[in-house]
Amino acid sequence: MAQIRIIKKYPNRRLYDTEISSYITLEEVRQLVIDGDDFEVRDAKTGDDLTRTVLLQIITEHEGDGQPMFTTRLLSQVIRFYGDSMQGFMGSYLEKSLQIFLDQQGKFRSQLNNILGQTPWSMLNDMTERNMDLWKSVQDGFLKAAATSARAPAPASSKDGKS
């Protein structure tokens, strides 16, 4: 099993890739993501995991350039889930939804490359039906998990506020 690549972040905001023993840019970290490389960004002084923070920084920079991926409405809806009883489910729900989208995109590309006597429109119709079935199953699972969570009793807390 390959080791996870470690990138150290220094107080001066510079990123040091320990695998190549060189400083790298945020754009080079983005390329690691695109290439599917496993890595962690660690605070050089404390060792704290800063990976999510750096990934969010990359998203923020790209959202400011050109055509944003996330609308103001979408971002507002995501923010509303923080502190909500459904917050714990939202991340996995979005992750699974995106995975279904990526799977369907791969199937679509494959089908376009192997048009087997079908017109592109009939292929799109077939894929749309399958996508709707998959989406419905994800939503059903999400709603079942939410219902189970809503029925579960809240954990008791001790006097010091810790569970």
Side-chain angles (χ1 to χ4, degrees):
M1 187 170 170
Q3 270 192 316
I4 293 179
R5 189 175 194 156
I6 301 296
I7 298 168
K8 293 182 179 181
K9 185 171 185 182
Y10 287 90
N12 62 2
R13 298 175 36 141
R14 293 190 72 186
L15 300 166
Y16 184 79
D17 187 338
T18 59
E19 186 170 301
I20 61 172
S21 301
S22 178
Y23 287 100
I24 61 172
T25 64
L26 209 52
E27 189 60 30
E28 289 169 308
V29 174
R30 178 180 172 270
Q31 191 60 49
L32 292 174
V33 172
I34 291 169
D35 293 343
D37 293 348
D38 289 331
F39 67 90
E40 289 181 1
V41 179
R42 297 266 172 201
D43 184 285
K45 194 177 214 179
T46 65
D48 291 343
D49 187 353
L50 303 176
T51 308
R52 290 181 68 255
T53 303
V54 170
L55 293 175
L56 286 167
Q57 186 178 356
I58 291 169
I59 290 171
T60 300
E61 285 190 8
H62 280 270
E63 280 293 301
D65 299 337
Q67 182 82 25
M69 187 182 310
F70 301 108
T71 63
T72 302
R73 182 175 178 186
L74 174 66
L75 292 171
S76 296
Q77 289 170 338
V78 169
I79 289 169
R80 286 185 192 107
F81 273 98
Y82 285 98
D84 186 271
S85 62
M86 298 302 291
Q87 178 179 341
F89 294 104
M90 189 50 132
S92 63
Y93 178 75
L94 291 174
E95 192 173 330
K96 288 175 184 173
S97 297
L98 186 56
Q99 188 58 54
I100 288 171
F101 176 81
L102 292 172
D103 292 345
Q104 289 298 312
Q105 182 184 39
K107 288 177 185 177
F108 178 70
R109 287 181 178 168
S110 174
Q111 288 177 349
L112 281 180
N113 290 334
N114 302 316
I115 299 178
L116 304 171
Q118 292 184 344
T119 66
W121 290 114
S122 64
M123 285 176 30
L124 279 173
N125 286 336
D126 291 344
M127 192 174 76
T128 299
E129 287 176 351
R130 286 191 305 272
N131 195 22
M132 290 302 291
D133 291 341
L134 283 169
W135 184 252
K136 185 176 182 326
S137 70
V138 166
Q139 287 180 324
D140 289 345
F142 179 75
L143 292 173
K144 285 178 188 174
T148 302
S149 173
R151 287 192 300 257
S157 60
S158 62
K159 288 184 179 182
D160 64 0
K162 297 179 183 174
S163 297

